[in-house]
Amino acid sequence: SQQGEEDPQALSIQEGENATMNCSYKTSINNLQWYRQNSGRGLVHLILIRSNEREKHSGRLRVTLDTSKKSSSLLITASRAADTASYFCATDAAQGQFYFGTGTSLTVIP
Amino acid sequence: DGGITQSPKYLFRKEGQNVTLSCEQNLNHDAMYWYRQDPGQGLRLIYYSQIVNDFQKGDIAEGYSVSREKKESFPLTVTSAQKNPTAFYLCASSIDLGSTEAFFGQGTRLTVV
């Protein structure tokens, strides 16, 4: 399986704090994406970073990519209770299909 | 409204029965995917389709079948050969394979009773 892994599996923080979650993957990639999933719902795309990029920002989100370590991190700054969700990284496989990691469950306490 | 629709939202199946999950998209996407998600777990790829009349097995295709007779439709059949079918099933689409973003339906929760 090409499934990646996120860590930590679960994270609980106070509102206003920053949340950092990490993703490790196994094969070379063209790009890496982060998705969010509210409980019992589908996934929503957050941000994409290409293999030749090292860092990318979108609003309160900051993503880094280290292809030499096959890892990425997602930082959510100034977290809000509404950020409570599961977060998944996804990589593109050889034929272009998406493979998702195991996810980080984030709880932001008001 | 453009989007991807899965139905039904909840489905109950008796052991030994086949059941078909519906996935329809009006985004004009060529690629479509089926994933299985178990509680507290990530998504595992069942099948994917690059184009009409073509589909490929993912990591866990055993006990499942699909068809892609129309661009907008990619139904998944969970057969009686699938020994542990209770799970949350997610359908997704993208402009093509290797695209930059997948769009997901809201999922179907299948329970074997």
Side-chain angles (χ1 to χ4, degrees):
Chain A
S1 169
Q2 299 184 47
Q3 191 173 37
E5 287 189 10
E6 279 92 339
D7 117 84
Q9 286 189 325
L11 180 60
S12 184
I13 60 174
Q14 296 288 331
E15 202 166 29
E17 293 180 339
N18 294 344
T20 300
M21 51 206 88
N22 305 295
C23 165
S24 59
Y25 57 91
K26 299 177 183 176
T27 62
S28 61
I29 59 171
N30 294 314
N31 60 64
L32 183 143
Q33 304 176 46
W34 284 90
Y35 287 78
R36 167 194 169 125
Q37 182 184 33
N38 286 0
S39 181
R41 308 297 294 273
L43 279 70
V44 176
H45 183 263
L46 294 175
I47 192 167
L48 174 147
I49 186 165
R50 300 190 187 279
S51 60
N52 61 355
E53 297 175 313
R54 292 296 167 258
E55 187 170 315
K56 198 160 184 182
H57 297 253
S58 176
R60 293 185 296 114
L61 305 180
R62 176 185 151 222
V63 169
T64 62
L65 179 64
D66 187 336
T67 52
S68 66
K69 296 181 179 177
K70 291 188 169 59
S71 69
S72 174
S73 68
L74 172 68
L75 168 68
I76 303 174
T77 61
S79 63
R80 305 166 181 168
D83 294 329
T84 293
S86 292
Y87 293 83
F88 295 88
C89 67
T91 55
D92 55 337
Q95 294 184 341
Q97 67 273 40
F98 299 98
Y99 278 95
F100 286 82
T102 50
T104 291
S105 175
L106 173 65
T107 301
V108 180
I109 302 166
Chain B
D1 272 343
I4 181 164
T5 303
Q6 289 185 243
S7 62
K9 190 171 182 178
Y10 300 97
L11 189 56
F12 296 89
R13 188 195 94 172
K14 292 183 179 179
E15 282 194 27
Q17 285 183 338
N18 292 357
V19 65
T20 297
L21 282 61
S22 170
C23 179
E24 304 276 332
Q25 53 98 0
N26 60 4
L27 299 168
N28 200 33
H29 287 172
D30 281 321
M32 296 187 75
Y33 315 80
W34 274 105
Y35 293 90
R36 169 182 172 139
Q37 186 176 31
D38 292 286
Q41 303 294 314
L43 281 67
R44 291 185 289 167
L45 183 63
I46 306 173
Y47 268 99
Y48 63 100
S49 167
Q50 183 175 4
I51 201 167
V52 174
N53 293 323
D54 177 74
F55 48 83
Q56 304 295 329
K57 294 182 179 180
D59 289 339
I60 57 165
E62 186 175 351
Y64 299 98
S65 66
V66 293
S67 63
R68 187 83 188 277
E69 297 176 1
K70 297 185 297 182
K71 185 175 186 177
E72 58 269 23
S73 180
F74 191 40
L76 173 74
T77 296
V78 184
T79 75
S80 57
Q82 170 50 237
K83 297 306 177 190
N84 186 21
T86 294
F88 189 51
Y89 290 87
L90 286 160
C91 178
S93 70
S94 62
I95 293 174
D96 51 30
L97 282 187
S99 179
T100 55
E101 180 177 351
F103 292 78
F104 280 82
Q106 292 304 300
T108 292
R109 189 167 299 280
L110 173 64
T111 303
V112 173
V113 295

